[in-house]
Amino acid sequence: MNFIQRHFLKRYIKENQQVRNPEVSSLRDAKNIGILCNITTEDTYKDIYAVFSRLQGTSRNVWLMGYIDDKAVPFYCIQQLSADYFCNKDLNWYGRPEKVQIKDFYNMEFDVLLDFSHDVFEPIRLIMELSRAKLIIGSEKRNLKYYDLLIQTEEDISNMELLKNISHYTNQLSGTQL
């Protein structure tokens, strides 16, 4: 059965994958920012929400899409206009997310898409593969093929520290002075 599921998922990706030409942009200059993450506990939710709030406080369009590898979205994940969450029940039988918000998310032309997932999750990989983002940045080495920029970090780095590293390196790559 897994072979059949993978076959249909690969076919869907092939039919819907975007041709992207990555464009380097500093995090400071980005007007549209997407955040992908996995949420495992209430503490990880609070940590990623702090990053989301910090970026949102700078008058940019920031959209958070959180994945919960469980049957239901926990009570502490509060849906907002620009913060959505999905779980396994929101996936079809071969693993494609079915929520309209997810399709809108990967069709959005983000200046920067930040992946804060600290593990490998197929729904998150699918979103990155279908994304129209100009620049995809993350720190999970096993997701290297989906990134335009990999930020190598220590194992137990906080999301806020990762955000600082991303800001630092995107400023350097784009030639933006601090």
Side-chain angles (χ1 to χ4, degrees), residues 3-176:
F3 173 76
I4 294 169
Q5 290 172 326
R6 280 194 303 265
H7 170 74
F8 280 103
L9 190 58
K10 285 180 183 179
R11 192 167 106 192
Y12 177 78
I13 291 169
K14 188 176 180 180
E15 292 170 357
N16 294 289
Q17 191 171 23
Q18 301 296 319
V19 177
R20 297 176 46 249
N21 293 318
E23 296 177 24
V24 176
S25 168
S26 72
L27 194 58
R28 184 177 9 168
D29 294 338
K31 300 293 181 212
N32 294 314
I33 299 172
I35 299 174
L36 271 173
C37 66
N38 67 299
I39 296 174
T40 54
T41 64
E42 192 169 356
D43 289 335
T44 58
Y45 168 77
K46 289 177 182 176
D47 190 36
I48 200 68
Y49 197 79
V51 170
F52 172 68
S53 297
R54 180 171 181 181
L55 288 172
Q56 207 174 31
T58 55
S59 69
R60 298 180 211 162
N61 180 21
V62 182
W63 192 349
L64 170 68
M65 184 62 67
Y67 172 65
I68 295 91
D69 191 20
D70 205 352
K71 293 179 183 178
V73 174
F75 68 92
Y76 51 79
C77 292
I78 301 165
Q79 300 272 42
Q80 296 179 12
L81 187 59
S82 59
D84 293 298
Y85 306 94
F86 68 104
C87 61
N88 291 333
K89 77 173 184 183
D90 298 317
L91 307 176
N92 68 7
W93 68 273
Y94 60 87
R96 186 185 86 202
E98 296 240 306
K99 284 179 93 174
V100 174
Q101 294 91 335
I102 298 168
K103 188 172 184 175
D104 291 345
F105 185 85
Y106 65 70
N107 281 324
M108 181 79 157
E109 287 192 33
F110 293 112
D111 295 324
V112 178
L113 177 60
L114 305 173
D115 176 29
F116 284 98
S117 60
H118 299 290
D119 207 344
V120 175
F121 296 100
E122 288 306 318
I124 290 178
R125 282 183 165 181
L126 177 70
I127 291 171
M128 286 189 286
E129 209 161 357
L130 298 175
S131 177
R132 302 173 112 193
K134 295 176 185 172
L135 184 66
I136 300 176
I137 303 171
S139 66
E140 177 56 53
K141 294 175 184 106
R142 294 173 288 178
N143 287 337
L144 178 61
K145 103 176 205 181
Y146 306 99
Y147 298 150
D148 300 315
L149 178 62
L150 172 72
I151 305 293
Q152 289 190 333
T153 60
E154 290 117 30
E155 292 297 317
D156 294 331
I157 190 170
S158 73
N159 287 328
M160 199 60 80
E161 281 297 315
L162 178 57
L163 181 66
K164 288 177 186 174
N165 287 340
I166 290 170
S167 181
H168 173 75
Y169 288 112
T170 57
N171 284 338
Q172 282 188 335
L173 287 172
S174 67
T176 304

